Amino acid sequence: MHVLVINCGSSSLKYQLINSDSEEVLAKGLCERIGIDGRLVYQKEGLDKEITEAAMPSHKEAIRMVLDALVNPKSGAVSALSEIDAVGHRVVHGGERFAASVLLTEEVLAQVEECNDLAPLHNPANLIGIRACQELMPGVPMVGVFDTAFHQTMPKKAYLYGLPYEYYEKYKVRRYGFHGTSHSFVSKRCAEFLNLDLKNSKIIVAHLGNGASISAVKDGECVDTSMGLTPLEGLVMGTRSGDIDPAIMEFIAKKEHLDIEGVMNVLNKKSGVEGISGVSSDFRDLEAAYNEGNQRAIDACEVFAYRVAKYIGAYVAAMNGVDAVAFTAGIGENTSFIRKKILAYLGYLGIQMDEAANAVRGEDKVISTADSKVTVCVIPTNEELAICRETVALVK
Ligand code: AMP
């Protein structure tokens, strides 16, 4: 089957066309600056990137341009749109309603819409992308794959906040967790790669990207994760604060004369390692500054690694043990000095890092020594492939 995977943001859209039989990516790219001016990046497997600047007033024009590029006689990946058998859409928030991927019917779309106030920036954009695809590809089955679904197995003690219970009842305020597609993919792949029985395993997945989250996966099911009602909670991220004392919000609002939106903007966009370092949210820049002795970059890296190590300790307690720790996403896959810093805290678990193996980038690899009591590995995530597999499973 040919599956088009769509990940719609508020002003951008990423896509991949995948042959689900060979799991080969036939073409991929993105649309940027939708609603502003518009730029399409398209790359057919084996060819150079093509960049087209063109007006994209809405996601509909963006998707139309993607479809045109996919069937372009010169560099298209298929000869007609009828060769696209299904579309898999990433949907950020599925609330408590969606614990698994689902075929997108009108009834389901209404339910997704009901989750909009839980993710007001993301879900409406996802829905616009779905509607645009439905209009341009009538009759093609579409599947929604939710970022929150994998975490729906968390027990109540992990997802309830210490808040008045009525907020949970009335507004569904609770921990949901995000990056679920990645945590699911990586935990399964980790078990397969290490020859563990997934149904009898304790795996901690550290998804360390610009957005970062960590999860405890016991017997193949998520039992806890660090992001919460929104992706702001948990680890220190590129520009997000992660866990803070909630009273800081009032304190800063008064000092800086900010309203609640102003404070939220600071916590989401001006905090994290960028906020601490004043250098960058990107660990390539941070590592360079760290090596030059920039003290704030050093502080940012130390805070980042320490927070991850603390969460790993917490999740070992949550699962009463751990068989494997898997690092994934941009930083987890590529930044060996951060992995080393994190693992340096975990000697008490009997974890021993293999210095040479830790030099790895972007491939499945064990980075702990043979006698390490817990196996540590790097497992590259592939959310698009995970969405493609989910789509095929529901469409076939
Ligand atoms: P992601 O959100 O998973 O795409 O991860 C993006 C982040 O990963 C970037 O902001 C960098 O901090 C980090 N990253 C990506 N590639 C590299 C690399 N080659 N070396 C170091 N850090 C990287």
Coordinates of all heavy atoms in Angstrom, one line a residue, residues 173-234:
V173 N -9.1 17.8 33.7 CA -7.7 18.2 34.0 C -7.0 17.0 34.6 O -7.4 16.5 35.7 CB -7.7 19.4 34.9 CG1 -6.3 19.7 35.4 CG2 -8.3 20.6 34.3
R174 N -6.0 16.4 33.9 CA -5.2 15.3 34.3 C -4.0 15.2 33.5 O -3.8 15.9 32.5 CB -6.1 14.0 34.2 CG -6.7 13.8 32.8 CD -7.0 12.4 32.4 NE -5.8 11.6 32.1 CZ -5.8 10.3 31.8 NH1 -6.9 9.6 31.8 NH2 -4.6 9.7 31.5
R175 N -3.1 14.2 33.8 CA -1.9 14.0 33.0 C -2.4 13.2 31.7 O -3.1 12.2 31.9 CB -0.9 13.2 33.8 CG 0.3 12.8 32.9 CD 1.3 11.9 33.8 NE 1.6 12.6 35.0 CZ 2.3 13.6 35.2 NH1 2.9 14.2 34.1 NH2 2.5 14.2 36.4
Y176 N -2.0 13.6 30.6 CA -2.2 12.8 29.3 C -0.9 12.3 28.8 O -0.8 11.2 28.4 CB -3.0 13.7 28.3 CG -4.4 14.0 28.7 CD1 -4.7 15.2 29.3 CD2 -5.4 13.1 28.5 CE1 -6.0 15.5 29.7 CE2 -6.7 13.4 28.8 CZ -7.0 14.6 29.5 OH -8.3 14.8 29.8
G177 N 0.1 13.2 28.7 CA 1.3 12.8 28.1 C 1.3 12.9 26.6 O 0.2 12.9 26.0
F178 N 2.5 13.1 26.0 CA 2.5 13.3 24.5 C 3.7 12.5 24.0 O 4.3 11.7 24.7 CB 2.7 14.8 24.2 CG 1.5 15.6 24.7 CD1 1.4 16.1 26.0 CD2 0.4 15.8 23.8 CE1 0.3 16.8 26.4 CE2 -0.7 16.5 24.3 CZ -0.7 17.0 25.6
H179 N 4.0 12.7 22.7 CA 5.0 11.9 22.0 C 4.7 10.4 22.1 O 5.6 9.5 22.0 CB 6.4 12.0 22.6 CG 7.0 13.4 22.5 ND1 7.7 14.0 23.5 CD2 7.0 14.3 21.5 CE1 8.1 15.2 23.2 NE2 7.7 15.4 21.9
G180 N 3.4 10.0 22.3 CA 3.0 8.6 22.5 C 3.4 7.7 21.4 O 3.8 6.6 21.6
T181 N 3.3 8.2 20.2 CA 3.6 7.4 19.0 C 5.1 7.0 19.1 O 5.5 5.9 18.8 CB 3.4 8.2 17.7 OG1 2.1 8.8 17.8 CG2 3.4 7.3 16.5
S182 N 5.9 7.9 19.5 CA 7.4 7.7 19.6 C 7.7 6.7 20.8 O 8.4 5.8 20.7 CB 8.1 9.0 19.8 OG 9.5 8.7 20.0
H183 N 7.1 7.0 21.9 CA 7.3 6.1 23.1 C 6.8 4.7 22.8 O 7.5 3.7 23.2 CB 6.6 6.6 24.3 CG 7.2 7.9 24.9 ND1 8.4 7.8 25.6 CD2 6.9 9.2 24.8 CE1 8.7 9.1 26.0 NE2 7.8 9.9 25.5
S184 N 5.7 4.5 22.1 CA 5.3 3.2 21.7 C 6.2 2.5 20.7 O 6.7 1.4 20.9 CB 3.9 3.4 21.1 OG 3.5 2.2 20.4
F185 N 6.6 3.2 19.7 CA 7.5 2.7 18.7 C 8.8 2.3 19.3 O 9.3 1.2 19.1 CB 7.7 3.8 17.6 CG 8.7 3.3 16.5 CD1 8.2 2.7 15.3 CD2 10.0 3.6 16.5 CE1 9.0 2.3 14.3 CE2 10.9 3.2 15.5 CZ 10.4 2.6 14.4
V186 N 9.4 3.2 20.1 CA 10.8 3.0 20.6 C 10.7 1.8 21.7 O 11.6 1.0 21.7 CB 11.4 4.3 21.2 CG1 12.7 4.0 21.9 CG2 11.6 5.3 20.0
S187 N 9.7 1.8 22.5 CA 9.7 0.7 23.5 C 9.6 -0.7 22.8 O 10.2 -1.6 23.2 CB 8.6 0.9 24.5 OG 7.3 1.1 23.9
K188 N 8.7 -0.7 21.8 CA 8.6 -2.0 21.1 C 9.9 -2.4 20.4 O 10.4 -3.5 20.5 CB 7.5 -1.9 20.1 CG 6.1 -1.9 20.7 CD 5.0 -1.8 19.6 CE 3.6 -1.8 20.3 NZ 3.3 -0.6 21.0
R189 N 10.5 -1.4 19.7 CA 11.7 -1.7 19.0 C 12.9 -2.0 19.9 O 13.7 -2.9 19.6 CB 12.1 -0.4 18.1 CG 13.4 -0.5 17.4 CD 13.3 -1.5 16.2 NE 14.7 -1.8 15.8 CZ 15.2 -3.0 15.6 NH1 14.4 -4.1 15.8 NH2 16.4 -3.2 15.2
C190 N 12.9 -1.4 21.1 CA 13.9 -1.7 22.1 C 13.8 -3.1 22.5 O 14.8 -3.8 22.6 CB 13.7 -0.7 23.3 SG 14.8 -1.0 24.7
A191 N 12.6 -3.6 22.9 CA 12.4 -4.9 23.3 C 12.9 -5.9 22.2 O 13.6 -6.9 22.5 CB 10.9 -5.2 23.7
E192 N 12.5 -5.6 21.0 CA 12.8 -6.5 19.8 C 14.4 -6.5 19.7 O 15.0 -7.6 19.6 CB 12.2 -5.9 18.6 CG 12.3 -6.6 17.3 CD 11.6 -5.8 16.2 OE1 12.2 -4.8 15.8 OE2 10.6 -6.3 15.7
F193 N 14.9 -5.3 19.7 CA 16.4 -5.2 19.5 C 17.2 -5.9 20.6 O 18.2 -6.5 20.3 CB 16.7 -3.7 19.4 CG 18.2 -3.4 19.2 CD1 18.8 -3.9 18.0 CD2 18.9 -2.7 20.1 CE1 20.2 -3.6 17.8 CE2 20.3 -2.4 19.8 CZ 20.9 -2.8 18.7
L194 N 16.7 -5.8 21.8 CA 17.4 -6.4 22.9 C 17.0 -7.9 23.2 O 17.4 -8.5 24.2 CB 17.3 -5.6 24.2 CG 17.8 -4.1 24.1 CD1 17.6 -3.4 25.4 CD2 19.3 -4.1 23.7
N195 N 16.1 -8.4 22.4 CA 15.5 -9.7 22.7 C 14.9 -9.8 24.0 O 15.0 -10.9 24.7 CB 16.6 -10.8 22.6 CG 16.7 -11.3 21.2 OD1 15.7 -11.5 20.5 ND2 18.0 -11.5 20.7
L196 N 14.1 -8.8 24.4 CA 13.4 -8.8 25.7 C 11.9 -9.3 25.3 O 11.5 -9.0 24.2 CB 13.3 -7.4 26.3 CG 14.6 -6.8 26.8 CD1 14.3 -5.4 27.2 CD2 15.2 -7.6 28.0
D197 N 11.3 -9.9 26.2 CA 9.9 -10.2 26.1 C 9.1 -8.9 26.5 O 9.0 -8.6 27.7 CB 9.5 -11.4 27.0 CG 8.0 -11.6 27.0 OD1 7.3 -11.0 26.2 OD2 7.5 -12.4 27.8
L198 N 8.6 -8.2 25.5 CA 7.9 -6.9 25.7 C 6.9 -7.1 26.8 O 6.7 -6.2 27.7 CB 7.3 -6.4 24.4 CG 6.6 -5.0 24.5 CD1 7.6 -3.9 24.8 CD2 5.8 -4.7 23.3
K199 N 6.1 -8.2 26.8 CA 5.0 -8.4 27.8 C 5.5 -8.7 29.2 O 4.7 -8.8 30.1 CB 4.1 -9.5 27.3 CG 3.4 -9.2 26.1 CD 2.2 -8.3 26.3 CE 1.6 -7.8 25.1 NZ 1.0 -6.4 25.2
N200 N 6.8 -8.8 29.3 CA 7.4 -9.0 30.7 C 8.7 -8.2 30.8 O 9.8 -8.7 31.0 CB 7.7 -10.5 30.8 CG 8.1 -10.9 32.2 OD1 7.9 -10.1 33.1 ND2 8.8 -12.0 32.3
S201 N 8.5 -6.9 30.6 CA 9.7 -6.0 30.6 C 9.5 -4.7 31.2 O 8.3 -4.3 31.4 CB 10.1 -5.8 29.1 OG 9.2 -5.1 28.4
K202 N 10.5 -4.0 31.6 CA 10.5 -2.7 32.2 C 11.4 -1.8 31.5 O 12.7 -2.0 31.5 CB 10.9 -2.8 33.7 CG 9.9 -3.6 34.6 CD 10.5 -3.8 35.9 CE 9.5 -4.7 36.8 NZ 10.1 -5.1 38.1
I203 N 10.9 -0.9 30.7 CA 11.7 -0.1 29.8 C 11.4 1.4 30.0 O 10.2 1.8 30.2 CB 11.4 -0.4 28.3 CG1 11.7 -1.9 28.0 CG2 12.1 0.5 27.3 CD1 11.3 -2.4 26.6
I204 N 12.5 2.2 30.1 CA 12.3 3.6 30.2 C 12.7 4.2 28.9 O 13.8 4.0 28.4 CB 13.2 4.2 31.4 CG1 12.6 3.7 32.7 CG2 13.1 5.7 31.4 CD1 13.4 4.1 34.0
V205 N 11.8 5.0 28.3 CA 12.1 5.7 27.0 C 12.3 7.2 27.3 O 11.5 7.8 27.8 CB 11.0 5.5 26.0 CG1 11.3 6.2 24.7 CG2 10.7 4.0 25.7
A206 N 13.5 7.6 26.9 CA 13.8 9.1 27.0 C 13.8 9.7 25.6 O 14.7 9.5 24.8 CB 15.2 9.3 27.7
H207 N 12.7 10.3 25.3 CA 12.5 11.0 24.0 C 13.0 12.4 24.2 O 12.3 13.3 24.7 CB 11.0 11.0 23.6 CG 10.7 11.7 22.3 ND1 10.4 11.1 21.2 CD2 10.8 13.1 22.0 CE1 10.2 12.0 20.2 NE2 10.4 13.2 20.7
L208 N 14.3 12.6 23.8 CA 14.9 13.9 24.0 C 15.1 14.7 22.7 O 16.0 14.5 22.0 CB 16.3 13.7 24.7 CG 16.3 12.8 26.0 CD1 17.7 12.7 26.5 CD2 15.3 13.4 27.0
G209 N 14.1 15.5 22.4 CA 14.2 16.3 21.2 C 14.0 17.8 21.7 O 14.2 18.1 22.8
N210 N 13.6 18.6 20.7 CA 13.4 20.0 21.1 C 12.2 20.0 22.2 O 12.3 20.7 23.2 CB 13.0 20.8 19.9 CG 13.1 22.3 20.2 OD1 13.9 22.7 21.0 ND2 12.2 23.0 19.6
G211 N 11.2 19.2 21.9 CA 10.3 18.9 23.0 C 10.8 17.6 23.6 O 11.2 16.7 22.8
A212 N 10.8 17.4 24.9 CA 11.4 16.2 25.5 C 10.4 15.6 26.5 O 9.8 16.3 27.3 CB 12.7 16.5 26.1
S213 N 10.3 14.3 26.5 CA 9.5 13.6 27.5 C 10.1 12.2 27.8 O 10.8 11.7 26.9 CB 8.0 13.5 27.1 OG 7.9 12.6 26.0
I214 N 9.7 11.7 28.9 CA 10.2 10.4 29.3 C 9.1 9.5 29.8 O 8.1 10.0 30.3 CB 11.3 10.6 30.3 CG1 12.0 9.3 30.8 CG2 10.9 11.4 31.5 CD1 13.4 9.6 31.4
S215 N 9.1 8.2 29.5 CA 8.0 7.4 29.9 C 8.5 6.1 30.5 O 9.6 5.6 30.2 CB 7.1 7.1 28.8 OG 7.7 6.3 27.8
A216 N 7.7 5.5 31.4 CA 7.9 4.2 32.0 C 7.0 3.2 31.4 O 5.8 3.4 31.4 CB 7.7 4.3 33.5
V217 N 7.6 2.2 30.7 CA 6.8 1.3 30.0 C 6.9 -0.1 30.6 O 8.0 -0.7 30.5 CB 7.1 1.3 28.5 CG1 6.2 0.3 27.7 CG2 7.1 2.7 27.9
K218 N 5.9 -0.6 31.2 CA 6.0 -1.9 31.9 C 5.1 -2.9 31.2 O 3.9 -2.6 30.9 CB 5.4 -1.7 33.4 CG 5.6 -2.9 34.3 CD 5.5 -2.5 35.7 CE 5.7 -3.6 36.6 NZ 4.7 -4.6 36.6
D219 N 5.7 -4.0 30.8 CA 5.0 -5.1 30.1 C 4.3 -4.5 28.8 O 3.2 -4.9 28.5 CB 4.0 -5.8 31.0 CG 4.6 -6.3 32.3 OD1 5.8 -6.6 32.3 OD2 3.9 -6.4 33.3
G220 N 5.0 -3.6 28.2 CA 4.5 -3.0 26.9 C 3.5 -1.9 27.1 O 3.0 -1.4 26.1
E221 N 3.1 -1.6 28.4 CA 2.1 -0.5 28.6 C 2.7 0.7 29.3 O 3.5 0.5 30.3 CB 0.9 -1.0 29.4 CG 0.1 -2.0 28.6 CD -1.2 -2.4 29.3 OE1 -1.3 -2.1 30.5 OE2 -2.1 -2.9 28.6
C222 N 2.3 1.9 28.9 CA 2.8 3.0 29.6 C 2.2 3.1 31.0 O 1.0 3.1 31.2 CB 2.5 4.3 28.8 SG 3.0 5.8 29.7
V223 N 3.1 3.3 32.0 CA 2.5 3.4 33.4 C 2.8 4.8 34.0 O 2.2 5.2 35.0 CB 3.1 2.4 34.4 CG1 2.6 1.0 34.0 CG2 4.6 2.4 34.4
D224 N 3.6 5.6 33.3 CA 3.8 7.0 33.7 C 4.6 7.7 32.6 O 5.4 7.1 31.8 CB 4.6 7.1 35.0 CG 4.2 8.4 35.8 OD1 3.6 9.3 35.2 OD2 4.6 8.5 37.0
T225 N 4.4 9.0 32.5 CA 5.1 9.8 31.6 C 5.2 11.3 32.1 O 4.4 11.7 32.9 CB 4.5 9.7 30.2 OG1 5.3 10.3 29.2 CG2 3.1 10.5 30.1
S226 N 6.2 12.0 31.6 CA 6.5 13.3 32.2 C 5.7 14.5 31.7 O 5.6 15.4 32.5 CB 8.0 13.6 32.0 OG 8.4 13.6 30.7
M227 N 5.2 14.4 30.5 CA 4.4 15.5 30.1 C 3.0 15.4 30.7 O 2.6 14.3 31.1 CB 4.3 15.6 28.5 CG 5.6 16.2 27.9 SD 5.5 16.3 26.1 CE 6.9 17.3 25.8
G228 N 2.2 16.5 30.7 CA 1.0 16.4 31.5 C -0.3 16.7 30.7 O -0.5 16.1 29.7
L229 N -1.0 17.6 31.3 CA -2.2 18.1 30.5 C -1.8 18.7 29.2 O -2.5 18.6 28.2 CB -2.9 19.2 31.4 CG -4.1 19.9 30.7 CD1 -5.4 19.0 30.7 CD2 -4.4 21.2 31.4
T230 N -0.6 19.3 29.2 CA 0.0 19.9 28.0 C 1.4 19.5 28.0 O 1.9 18.9 28.9 CB 0.0 21.5 28.1 OG1 1.0 21.9 29.0 CG2 -1.4 22.0 28.6
P231 N 2.1 19.8 26.9 CA 3.5 19.3 26.8 C 4.5 20.2 27.6 O 5.7 20.0 27.5 CB 3.8 19.5 25.3 CG 2.5 19.6 24.6 CD 1.6 20.2 25.6
L232 N 4.0 21.1 28.5 CA 4.9 22.0 29.2 C 5.5 21.3 30.4 O 6.6 21.7 30.9 CB 4.1 23.2 29.6 CG 4.8 24.3 30.3 CD1 6.0 24.8 29.5 CD2 3.9 25.5 30.6
E233 N 4.9 20.2 30.9 CA 5.4 19.6 32.2 C 6.6 18.7 31.9 O 6.8 18.1 30.8 CB 4.2 18.8 32.8 CG 4.5 18.4 34.3 CD 3.4 17.6 34.9 OE1 2.3 17.5 34.3 OE2 3.6 17.0 35.9
G234 N 7.4 18.5 33.0 CA 8.4 17.4 33.0 C 9.8 17.9 32.8 O 10.3 18.8 33.5

